[in-house]
Coordinates of all heavy atoms in Angstrom, one line a residue:
M1307 N -8.8 -13.4 21.1 CA -9.3 -13.0 19.8 C -8.3 -13.4 18.7 O -7.1 -13.0 18.9 CB -9.6 -11.5 19.7 CG -10.4 -11.1 18.5 SD -10.5 -9.4 18.3 CE -11.9 -9.0 19.5
S1308 N -8.7 -14.1 17.8 CA -7.7 -14.5 16.7 C -8.1 -13.8 15.4 O -9.3 -13.7 15.0 CB -7.7 -16.0 16.6 OG -9.0 -16.5 16.1
Q1309 N -7.1 -13.4 14.7 CA -7.3 -12.8 13.4 C -7.1 -13.8 12.3 O -6.2 -14.6 12.4 CB -6.3 -11.6 13.2 CG -6.9 -10.3 13.7 CD -5.9 -9.2 13.3 OE1 -4.8 -9.2 13.7 NE2 -6.4 -8.2 12.6
Q1310 N -7.9 -13.7 11.3 CA -7.8 -14.5 10.2 C -7.2 -13.8 9.0 O -7.7 -12.7 8.7 CB -9.2 -15.1 9.8 CG -9.6 -16.2 10.8 CD -10.9 -16.8 10.3 OE1 -11.6 -16.3 9.5 NE2 -11.1 -18.1 10.7
F1311 N -6.2 -14.3 8.5 CA -5.5 -13.7 7.4 C -5.8 -14.3 6.0 O -5.4 -13.8 5.0 CB -4.0 -13.7 7.6 CG -3.6 -12.8 8.7 CD1 -3.2 -13.3 9.9 CD2 -3.5 -11.4 8.5 CE1 -2.8 -12.5 11.0 CE2 -3.1 -10.6 9.6 CZ -2.8 -11.2 10.8
G1312 N -6.6 -15.3 6.0 CA -6.9 -16.0 4.8 C -5.8 -16.9 4.3 O -4.9 -17.2 5.1
T1313 N -5.8 -17.1 3.0 CA -4.8 -18.1 2.5 C -3.5 -17.4 2.2 O -2.5 -18.0 2.1 CB -5.4 -18.8 1.3 OG1 -5.9 -17.8 0.4 CG2 -6.5 -19.7 1.7
F1314 N -3.6 -16.1 1.8 CA -2.4 -15.4 1.4 C -1.5 -15.2 2.6 O -2.0 -15.0 3.8 CB -2.7 -14.1 0.7 CG -3.4 -13.1 1.6 CD1 -2.6 -12.1 2.1 CD2 -4.7 -13.2 1.8 CE1 -3.2 -11.2 2.9 CE2 -5.3 -12.2 2.6 CZ -4.6 -11.2 3.2
T1315 N -0.2 -15.1 2.4 CA 0.7 -14.8 3.5 C 0.7 -13.3 3.8 O 1.2 -12.5 3.0 CB 2.1 -15.3 3.1 OG1 2.5 -14.7 1.8 CG2 2.2 -16.8 3.0
A1316 N 0.2 -13.0 4.9 CA 0.1 -11.6 5.2 C 1.2 -11.2 6.1 O 1.7 -11.8 7.0 CB -1.2 -11.3 6.0
S1317 N 1.7 -10.0 5.7 CA 2.8 -9.4 6.6 C 2.3 -8.0 6.9 O 1.4 -7.5 6.2 CB 4.1 -9.4 5.9 OG 4.0 -8.7 4.6
E1318 N 2.9 -7.4 7.8 CA 2.5 -6.1 8.2 C 3.6 -5.0 7.8 O 4.7 -5.3 8.0 CB 2.2 -6.0 9.7 CG 1.0 -6.8 10.0 CD 0.5 -6.5 11.4 OE1 1.2 -5.8 12.2 OE2 -0.6 -7.0 11.8
L1319 N 3.1 -3.9 7.3 CA 4.0 -2.8 7.0 C 3.4 -1.6 7.7 O 2.2 -1.5 7.9 CB 4.1 -2.6 5.5 CG 4.9 -3.7 4.7 CD1 4.7 -3.4 3.2 CD2 6.3 -3.7 5.1
Y1320 N 4.3 -0.7 7.9 CA 3.9 0.6 8.5 C 3.2 1.4 7.5 O 3.7 1.7 6.4 CB 5.1 1.3 9.1 CG 4.7 2.7 9.7 CD1 4.1 2.7 10.9 CD2 4.9 3.9 9.0 CE1 3.7 3.9 11.5 CE2 4.5 5.1 9.5 CZ 3.9 5.1 10.8 OH 3.5 6.3 11.3
C1321 N 2.0 1.8 7.8 CA 1.2 2.7 6.9 C 1.2 4.1 7.4 O 0.8 4.4 8.5 CB -0.2 2.2 6.7 SG -1.2 3.2 5.7
P1322 N 1.8 5.0 6.6 CA 1.8 6.4 7.1 C 0.4 7.1 7.2 O 0.2 8.0 7.9 CB 2.6 7.1 6.0 CG 2.5 6.3 4.8 CD 2.3 4.8 5.3
K1323 N -0.5 6.5 6.5 CA -1.9 7.1 6.5 C -2.6 6.6 7.8 O -3.2 7.4 8.5 CB -2.7 6.7 5.3 CG -3.1 7.9 4.5 CD -4.0 7.4 3.3 CE -4.4 8.6 2.5 NZ -5.2 8.1 1.3
C1324 N -2.5 5.3 8.1 CA -3.1 4.8 9.3 C -2.2 5.1 10.5 O -2.7 4.9 11.6 CB -3.3 3.3 9.1 SG -4.3 2.8 7.7
R1325 N -1.0 5.4 10.3 CA 0.0 5.7 11.3 C 0.2 4.6 12.3 O 0.4 4.7 13.5 CB -0.5 6.9 12.1 CG -0.4 8.2 11.3 CD -0.8 9.4 12.2 NE -0.8 10.6 11.4 CZ -1.1 11.8 11.8 NH1 -1.5 11.9 13.1 NH2 -1.1 12.8 11.1
C1326 N 0.1 3.4 11.7 CA 0.5 2.2 12.4 C 0.7 1.0 11.4 O 0.3 1.2 10.3 CB -0.5 1.8 13.5 SG -2.1 1.4 12.8
A1327 N 1.2 0.0 11.9 CA 1.5 -1.2 11.0 C 0.1 -1.8 10.7 O -0.7 -2.0 11.5 CB 2.4 -2.2 11.7
Q1328 N 0.0 -2.1 9.4 CA -1.3 -2.7 9.0 C -0.9 -3.9 8.1 O 0.1 -4.0 7.5 CB -2.0 -1.7 8.1 CG -2.6 -0.5 8.8 CD -3.7 -0.8 9.7 OE1 -4.3 -1.9 9.6 NE2 -4.0 0.0 10.7
P1329 N -1.8 -4.9 8.2 CA -1.7 -6.0 7.3 C -1.8 -5.6 5.9 O -2.6 -4.7 5.5 CB -2.8 -7.0 7.7 CG -3.8 -6.2 8.5 CD -3.0 -5.1 9.1
V1330 N -1.0 -6.2 5.0 CA -0.9 -5.7 3.6 C -1.6 -6.7 2.7 O -1.6 -7.9 3.0 CB 0.5 -5.4 3.2 CG1 1.1 -4.2 3.9 CG2 1.4 -6.6 3.3
R1331 N -2.1 -6.2 1.6 CA -2.5 -7.1 0.6 C -1.6 -7.0 -0.6 O -1.0 -5.9 -0.9 CB -3.9 -6.6 0.1 CG -5.0 -7.1 0.9 CD -6.4 -6.7 0.3 NE -6.5 -5.3 0.0 CZ -7.6 -4.8 -0.3 NH1 -8.7 -5.5 -0.5 NH2 -7.7 -3.5 -0.6
E1332 N -1.3 -8.1 -1.2 CA -0.4 -8.2 -2.3 C -1.2 -8.2 -3.6 O -2.2 -8.9 -3.8 CB 0.5 -9.4 -2.2 CG 1.8 -9.3 -2.9 CD 2.6 -10.5 -2.7 OE1 2.5 -11.1 -1.7 OE2 3.5 -10.8 -3.6
R1333 N -0.7 -7.3 -4.5 CA -1.4 -7.2 -5.8 C -0.4 -7.3 -6.9 O 0.7 -6.7 -6.8 CB -2.1 -5.9 -5.9 CG -3.0 -5.8 -7.1 CD -3.7 -4.5 -7.1 NE -2.7 -3.4 -7.4 CZ -3.1 -2.2 -7.9 NH1 -4.3 -1.9 -8.0 NH2 -2.2 -1.3 -8.1
L1334 N -0.7 -8.1 -7.9 CA 0.1 -8.3 -9.0 C 0.0 -7.0 -9.9 O -1.0 -6.7 -10.4 CB -0.3 -9.5 -9.9 CG 0.6 -9.7 -11.1 CD1 2.0 -10.0 -10.8 CD2 0.0 -10.9 -11.9
L1335 N 1.2 -6.4 -10.0 CA 1.2 -5.1 -10.7 C 1.4 -5.3 -12.2 O 0.6 -4.9 -13.0 CB 2.2 -4.2 -10.2 CG 1.9 -2.7 -10.2 CD1 0.7 -2.3 -9.4 CD2 3.1 -1.9 -9.7
L1336 N 2.5 -5.9 -12.5 CA 2.7 -6.3 -13.9 C 3.7 -7.4 -14.0 O 4.5 -7.7 -13.1 CB 3.2 -5.1 -14.7 CG 4.3 -4.2 -14.2 CD1 5.7 -4.6 -14.7 CD2 4.1 -2.8 -14.6
V1337 N 3.7 -8.1 -15.2 CA 4.6 -9.2 -15.4 C 5.7 -8.8 -16.3 O 5.5 -8.3 -17.4 CB 3.8 -10.3 -16.1 CG1 4.7 -11.5 -16.3 CG2 2.6 -10.8 -15.2
L1338 N 6.9 -9.0 -15.7 CA 8.1 -8.6 -16.4 C 8.8 -9.9 -17.0 O 8.5 -11.0 -16.5 CB 9.1 -7.9 -15.5 CG 8.6 -6.6 -14.9 CD1 9.5 -6.2 -13.7 CD2 8.4 -5.5 -15.9
P1339 N 9.7 -9.7 -18.0 CA 10.4 -10.9 -18.4 C 11.3 -11.5 -17.3 O 11.5 -12.7 -17.3 CB 11.3 -10.3 -19.6 CG 10.6 -9.0 -19.9 CD 9.9 -8.5 -18.7
T1340 N 11.7 -10.7 -16.4 CA 12.5 -11.2 -15.3 C 11.8 -11.7 -14.1 O 12.3 -12.4 -13.3 CB 13.5 -10.1 -14.9 OG1 12.7 -8.9 -14.6 CG2 14.5 -9.7 -16.0
G1341 N 10.5 -11.4 -14.1 CA 9.7 -11.8 -12.9 C 8.4 -11.0 -12.9 O 8.0 -10.4 -13.8
E1342 N 7.8 -11.1 -11.7 CA 6.5 -10.4 -11.5 C 6.7 -9.3 -10.5 O 7.3 -9.4 -9.5 CB 5.5 -11.4 -11.0 CG 5.1 -12.4 -12.1 CD 4.1 -13.4 -11.5 OE1 3.9 -13.4 -10.3 OE2 3.5 -14.1 -12.3
L1343 N 6.1 -8.1 -10.8 CA 6.2 -7.0 -9.9 C 4.9 -7.0 -9.1 O 3.8 -6.8 -9.6 CB 6.3 -5.7 -10.7 CG 6.5 -4.4 -9.9 CD1 7.8 -4.5 -9.1 CD2 6.6 -3.2 -10.8
H1344 N 5.1 -7.1 -7.8 CA 3.9 -7.1 -6.9 C 3.9 -5.8 -6.1 O 5.0 -5.2 -5.8 CB 4.0 -8.3 -5.9 CG 3.7 -9.6 -6.6 ND1 2.7 -10.4 -6.3 CD2 4.4 -10.3 -7.6 CE1 2.7 -11.5 -7.0 NE2 3.7 -11.4 -7.8
E1345 N 2.7 -5.4 -5.7 CA 2.6 -4.2 -4.9 C 1.9 -4.5 -3.6 O 1.0 -5.3 -3.6 CB 1.8 -3.2 -5.7 CG 1.8 -1.8 -5.1 CD 0.9 -0.8 -5.9 OE1 0.0 -1.3 -6.5 OE2 1.3 0.4 -5.9
F1346 N 2.4 -3.9 -2.6 CA 1.8 -4.1 -1.3 C 0.8 -3.0 -1.0 O 1.2 -1.8 -1.0 CB 2.8 -4.2 -0.2 CG 3.6 -5.5 -0.3 CD1 5.0 -5.5 -0.5 CD2 3.0 -6.7 -0.1 CE1 5.7 -6.6 -0.5 CE2 3.7 -7.9 -0.2 CZ 5.1 -7.8 -0.4
L1347 N -0.4 -3.3 -0.7 CA -1.4 -2.3 -0.4 C -1.8 -2.4 1.1 O -2.0 -3.6 1.5 CB -2.6 -2.4 -1.3 CG -2.3 -2.2 -2.8 CD1 -3.6 -2.5 -3.6 CD2 -1.8 -0.8 -3.1
C1348 N -2.0 -1.3 1.7 CA -2.6 -1.4 3.0 C -4.0 -2.0 3.0 O -4.8 -1.5 2.1 CB -2.7 0.0 3.6 SG -3.5 0.1 5.2
S1349 N -4.3 -2.9 3.8 CA -5.6 -3.6 3.7 C -6.7 -2.7 4.2 O -7.9 -3.0 4.1 CB -5.6 -4.9 4.5 OG -5.4 -4.7 5.8
R1350 N -6.3 -1.6 4.9 CA -7.4 -0.7 5.4 C -7.7 0.4 4.5 O -8.8 0.8 4.3 CB -6.8 -0.2 6.8 CG -7.9 0.4 7.6 CD -7.4 0.4 9.1 NE -7.9 1.6 9.7 CZ -7.5 2.1 10.9 NH1 -6.4 1.5 11.5 NH2 -8.0 3.1 11.4
C1351 N -6.6 1.1 4.0 CA -6.9 2.3 3.2 C -6.3 2.1 1.8 O -6.4 3.1 1.0 CB -6.3 3.5 3.9 SG -4.5 3.5 4.0
A1352 N -5.8 1.0 1.5 CA -5.3 0.7 0.1 C -4.2 1.6 -0.3 O -4.0 1.9 -1.5 CB -6.5 0.7 -0.9
T1353 N -3.4 2.1 0.6 CA -2.3 2.9 0.2 C -1.1 2.0 -0.2 O -0.9 1.0 0.4 CB -1.8 3.8 1.4 OG1 -2.9 4.7 1.7 CG2 -0.6 4.6 1.0
S1354 N -0.4 2.4 -1.2 CA 0.7 1.6 -1.7 C 1.8 1.7 -0.7 O 2.3 2.8 -0.4 CB 1.2 2.1 -3.1 OG 2.3 1.3 -3.5
L1355 N 2.2 0.6 -0.1 CA 3.2 0.6 0.9 C 4.6 0.1 0.4 O 5.6 0.2 1.1 CB 2.8 -0.3 2.1 CG 1.5 0.2 2.8 CD1 1.1 -0.7 3.9 CD2 1.6 1.7 3.3
G1356 N 4.6 -0.6 -0.7 CA 5.9 -1.1 -1.2 C 5.7 -2.0 -2.4 O 4.6 -2.3 -2.8
K1357 N 6.8 -2.3 -3.0 CA 6.8 -3.2 -4.1 C 7.9 -4.2 -4.0 O 8.8 -4.0 -3.3 CB 7.0 -2.4 -5.4 CG 5.8 -1.5 -5.8 CD 6.2 -0.6 -7.0 CE 5.0 0.3 -7.2 NZ 5.5 1.6 -7.7
R1358 N 7.6 -5.3 -4.7 CA 8.7 -6.3 -4.7 C 8.6 -7.0 -6.0 O 7.5 -7.2 -6.6 CB 8.6 -7.3 -3.5 CG 7.4 -8.2 -3.7 CD 7.7 -9.4 -2.8 NE 6.6 -10.4 -2.9 CZ 6.5 -11.6 -2.3 NH1 7.5 -11.9 -1.6 NH2 5.5 -12.4 -2.5
T1359 N 9.7 -7.5 -6.4 CA 9.8 -8.2 -7.7 C 10.0 -9.7 -7.4 O 10.9 -10.0 -6.6 CB 11.0 -7.7 -8.6 OG1 10.9 -6.3 -8.7 CG2 10.9 -8.3 -10.0
V1360 N 9.1 -10.5 -7.8 CA 9.2 -11.9 -7.6 C 9.8 -12.6 -8.8 O 9.3 -12.5 -9.9 CB 7.8 -12.5 -7.4 CG1 7.8 -14.0 -7.1 CG2 7.1 -11.8 -6.2
T1361 N 11.0 -13.1 -8.6 CA 11.6 -13.9 -9.6 C 11.6 -15.3 -9.4 O 11.6 -15.8 -8.2 CB 13.1 -13.4 -9.8 OG1 13.7 -13.6 -8.5 CG2 13.2 -12.0 -10.2
G1362 N 11.4 -16.1 -10.4 CA 11.3 -17.5 -10.2 C 11.1 -18.2 -11.6 O 11.4 -17.6 -12.6
P1363 N 10.7 -19.4 -11.5 CA 10.4 -20.1 -12.8 C 9.4 -19.3 -13.6 O 8.4 -18.8 -13.1 CB 9.9 -21.4 -12.4 CG 9.5 -21.3 -10.9 CD 10.4 -20.2 -10.4
A1364 N 9.6 -19.2 -14.9 CA 8.7 -18.4 -15.7 C 7.4 -19.1 -15.7 O 7.2 -20.3 -15.7 CB 9.3 -18.4 -17.1
V1365 N 6.4 -18.2 -15.8 CA 5.0 -18.7 -15.8 C 4.7 -19.4 -17.1 O 4.1 -20.5 -17.2 CB 4.0 -17.6 -15.6 CG1 2.6 -18.1 -15.6 CG2 4.3 -16.9 -14.3
T1366 N 5.2 -18.8 -18.2 CA 5.1 -19.4 -19.5 C 6.5 -20.0 -19.9 O 7.4 -19.2 -20.1 CB 4.6 -18.3 -20.5 OG1 5.5 -17.2 -20.4 CG2 3.2 -17.9 -20.3
P1367 N 6.6 -21.3 -19.9 CA 7.9 -21.9 -20.3 C 8.4 -21.6 -21.7 O 9.6 -21.5 -21.9 CB 7.6 -23.4 -20.1 CG 6.2 -23.5 -20.2 CD 5.6 -22.2 -19.7
A1368 N 7.4 -21.4 -22.6 CA 7.8 -21.1 -23.9 C 8.1 -19.6 -24.1 O 7.3 -18.8 -23.8 CB 6.7 -21.5 -24.9
V1369 N 9.3 -19.4 -24.5 CA 9.7 -18.0 -24.7 C 9.3 -17.5 -26.1 O 9.6 -18.2 -27.1 CB 11.3 -17.8 -24.6 CG1 11.6 -16.4 -24.8 CG2 11.7 -18.3 -23.2
R1370 N 8.5 -16.5 -26.0 CA 8.0 -16.0 -27.3 C 9.1 -15.2 -28.0 O 9.6 -14.2 -27.5 CB 6.8 -15.1 -27.0 CG 6.1 -14.7 -28.3 CD 5.0 -13.7 -28.0 NE 3.9 -14.3 -27.4 CZ 2.8 -13.6 -27.1 NH1 2.7 -12.3 -27.4 NH2 1.7 -14.2 -26.5
E1371 N 9.4 -15.7 -29.2 CA 10.5 -15.1 -30.0 C 9.9 -14.0 -30.8 O 8.7 -14.1 -31.2 CB 11.2 -16.1 -30.8 CG 12.0 -17.1 -30.0 CD 12.6 -18.2 -30.9 OE1 12.8 -17.9 -32.1 OE2 12.9 -19.2 -30.4
P1372 N 10.7 -13.0 -31.0 CA 10.2 -11.9 -32.0 C 10.0 -12.5 -33.4 O 10.7 -13.4 -33.8 CB 11.3 -10.9 -31.9 CG 12.5 -11.7 -31.4 CD 12.0 -12.7 -30.5
A1373 N 9.1 -11.9 -34.0 CA 8.8 -12.4 -35.4 C 10.0 -12.3 -36.3 O 10.7 -11.3 -36.3 CB 7.6 -11.6 -36.0
P1374 N 10.2 -13.3 -37.0 CA 11.4 -13.3 -37.9 C 11.2 -12.2 -39.0 O 10.2 -12.0 -39.5 CB 11.4 -14.7 -38.5 CG 10.0 -15.2 -38.4 CD 9.5 -14.6 -37.1
R1375 N 12.4 -11.6 -39.2 CA 12.3 -10.5 -40.1 C 12.3 -11.1 -41.6 O 13.1 -11.9 -41.9 CB 13.5 -9.6 -40.0 CG 13.2 -8.2 -40.0 CD 14.4 -7.3 -40.0 NE 15.0 -7.1 -38.7 CZ 16.2 -6.5 -38.5 NH1 16.8 -6.1 -39.6 NH2 16.7 -6.4 -37.4
L1376 N 11.3 -10.6 -42.3 CA 11.2 -11.1 -43.7 C 11.9 -10.1 -44.6 O 11.5 -8.9 -44.6 CB 9.8 -11.3 -44.0 CG 9.0 -12.4 -43.3 CD1 7.6 -12.4 -43.6 CD2 9.7 -13.7 -43.5
T1377 N 12.9 -10.5 -45.3 CA 13.5 -9.6 -46.2 C 12.9 -9.8 -47.6 O 13.5 -10.4 -48.5 CB 15.0 -9.8 -46.2 OG1 15.2 -11.2 -46.5 CG2 15.7 -9.5 -44.9
R1378 N 11.7 -9.5 -47.6 CA 11.0 -9.7 -48.9 C 10.9 -8.4 -49.7 O 10.5 -7.3 -49.1 CB 9.5 -10.1 -48.6 CG 8.8 -10.6 -49.9 CD 7.4 -10.7 -49.6 NE 7.1 -11.8 -48.6 CZ 5.9 -12.1 -48.1 NH1 4.9 -11.2 -48.4 NH2 5.7 -13.1 -47.3
P1379 N 11.4 -8.4 -50.9 CA 11.4 -7.2 -51.7 C 10.0 -6.7 -51.9 O 9.1 -7.5 -52.2 CB 12.1 -7.6 -53.0 CG 11.9 -9.1 -53.1 CD 11.9 -9.6 -51.6
R1380 N 9.8 -5.5 -51.7 CA 8.5 -4.9 -51.9 C 8.2 -4.7 -53.4 O 9.0 -4.3 -54.2 CB 8.4 -3.5 -51.3 CG 8.0 -3.7 -49.8 CD 7.7 -2.3 -49.3 NE 7.8 -2.3 -47.8 CZ 7.8 -1.2 -47.1 NH1 7.7 -0.1 -47.6 NH2 7.8 -1.3 -45.8
R1381 N 7.0 -5.1 -53.7 CA 6.6 -4.9 -55.1 C 5.9 -3.6 -55.2 O 5.0 -3.3 -54.5 CB 5.7 -6.0 -55.6 CG 6.4 -7.3 -55.9 CD 5.4 -8.3 -56.5 NE 6.0 -9.6 -56.4 CZ 5.2 -10.7 -56.6 NH1 4.0 -10.6 -56.9 NH2 5.7 -11.9 -56.5
L1382 N 6.4 -2.8 -56.1 CA 5.7 -1.5 -56.4 C 4.7 -1.7 -57.5 O 5.1 -2.0 -58.6 CB 6.7 -0.5 -56.7 CG 7.7 -0.2 -55.5 CD1 8.8 0.8 -56.0 CD2 7.0 0.4 -54.3
L1383 N 3.5 -1.5 -57.1 CA 2.4 -1.6 -58.1 C 2.1 -0.2 -58.6 O 2.0 0.7 -57.9 CB 1.2 -2.3 -57.6 CG 1.5 -3.7 -57.1 CD1 0.2 -4.2 -56.4 CD2 1.8 -4.6 -58.2
R1384 N 2.0 -0.2 -59.9 CA 1.6 1.1 -60.5 C 0.1 1.2 -60.8 O -0.5 0.3 -61.2 CB 2.4 1.4 -61.8 CG 3.8 1.9 -61.5 CD 4.3 2.6 -62.6 NE 4.8 1.7 -63.6 CZ 5.3 2.0 -64.8 NH1 5.3 3.3 -65.1 NH2 5.8 1.2 -65.6
Ligands
LIG2600 ZN1 -3.4 2.4 5.7

């Protein structure tokens, strides 16, 4: 019997709920300036089993700069 893991690279982690090692699903949690935070979920009960930060080439090459501060005098209208 062969198991199919699909295209994603599956690894197994110990799941305290299932009380045995389970294949995990990776989910993108949030995107940080330094990388991406991924979460590992148990493929059986969807318990969070761990997190990892993926650092690498930025997804968006163009760094968004903060808006330039305008030192424009405010006009006070009466
Ligand atoms: Zn589980």
Side-chain angles (χ1 to χ4, degrees):
M1307 193 189 280
S1308 64
Q1309 268 186 305
Q1310 286 187 336
F1311 288 103
T1313 51
F1314 66 97
T1315 52
S1317 56
E1318 292 195 350
L1319 289 174
Y1320 179 78
C1321 177
K1323 242 184 179 178
C1324 301
R1325 291 184 182 177
C1326 64
Q1328 292 290 340
V1330 292
R1331 278 189 303 190
E1332 203 174 334
R1333 189 180 70 162
L1334 177 63
L1335 210 62
L1336 49 95
V1337 179
L1338 302 167
T1340 52
E1342 294 178 344
L1343 185 62
H1344 289 241
E1345 188 181 32
F1346 290 119
L1347 300 173
C1348 173
S1349 64
R1350 196 162 145 195
C1351 66
T1353 298
S1354 176
L1355 299 180
K1357 285 171 187 146
R1358 74 161 180 173
T1359 311
V1360 180
T1361 54
V1365 180
T1366 50
V1369 178
R1370 190 185 285 182
E1371 291 177 23
R1375 225 190 277 172
L1376 296 175
T1377 54
R1378 190 191 292 171
R1380 274 189 197 169
R1381 280 187 204 167
L1382 296 173
L1383 299 173
R1384 279 203 279 177

